[in-house]
Amino acid sequence: METTKKITVETTVHAPVEKVWKYWTEPTHIKKWNNASDDWHTPVAENDLRAGGKFLSRMEAKDGSFGFDFGGIYDEVKLHEVIAYTMGDGRKVKITFKGQENETEVIETFDAETTNPIELQQQGWQAILDNFKKYAEQTTI
C-alpha cells in the first residue's frame, strides 16, 4: 500500500485563539477568507463543527469559469485546539491551534493528492492560510 505524502502549512496569527477559532469555523467568516487569490471567492459555506459533522465550501472563480465543492466529515474537534477531518476523497487533514496571549499558531497538515505537484498543493493551501491570517488580523467584528 502506498504511503500518502503529508504536506504542512503554517502561520502565526496576531490574535487570541478564541478569535482565530471563531473566524476559522463560522461560515460568515469562512466566506470572506477562503480563497487563494483575489480572483476566487467562496459564495457558500456550511459547517457542522462536531465529530461526525459535515462541512462544505463552494469555491469559485469570480468570473464564473470554474468552481468546485470542498467538503468532508469531522473526525475530531477540540475547542481552540484541534480540528481533524476526512475530505470527500478520503484524504485526511489535521489543524492545530496553539494560542499564547495575543498570538495563535495555526498548523495545517494534509494528505497530498496525486493530480498536482506537491509544491503547487503546498503553495495553494499556504495562500489560503495567509489570506486567513490577513483577514483575522484586520477584521474586528
Side-chain angles (χ1 to χ4, degrees), residues 5 18 21 25 40 46 60 72 84 89 106 126 137 140:
K5 172 134 179 70
E18 295 81 7
W21 182 271
T25 61
W40 280 74
E46 300 169 1
E60 295 180 350
D89 64 6
V106 180
Q126 186 68 54
E137 289 177 353
T140 56

Side-chain angles (χ1 to χ4, degrees), residues 5-20:
K5 172 134 179 70
K6 298 205 177 285
I7 301 172
T8 299
V9 295
E10 54 189 278
T11 194
T12 299
V13 180
H14 300 287
V17 70
E18 295 81 7
K19 177 182 180 183
V20 170

Side-chain angles (χ1 to χ4, degrees), residues 4 12 17 34-35 37 39 42 44 51 65 77 103 118 120 125 127 135:
T4 305
T12 299
V17 70
N34 191 34
N35 55 281
S37 64
D39 51 344
T42 300
V44 175
S65 63
V77 177
E103 284 190 349
I118 298 291
L120 188 64
W125 285 58
Y135 175 76

Side-chain angles (χ1 to χ4, degrees), residues 69-117:
D69 290 337
F70 180 84
I73 298 176
Y74 290 110
D75 301 315
E76 177 185 17
V77 177
K78 286 185 185 173
L79 184 64
H80 302 156
E81 291 180 26
V82 175
I83 297 173
Y85 60 85
T86 302
M87 291 185 260
D89 64 6
R91 293 183 296 137
K92 302 277 188 179
V93 179
K94 183 174 184 178
I95 307 130
T96 57
F97 301 82
K98 297 178 182 176
Q100 188 169 357
E101 296 179 15
N102 203 38
E103 284 190 349
T104 305
E105 189 178 9
V106 180
I107 304 164
E108 192 170 13
T109 302
F110 62 96
D111 292 342
E113 43 98 342
T114 55
T115 307
N116 296 294

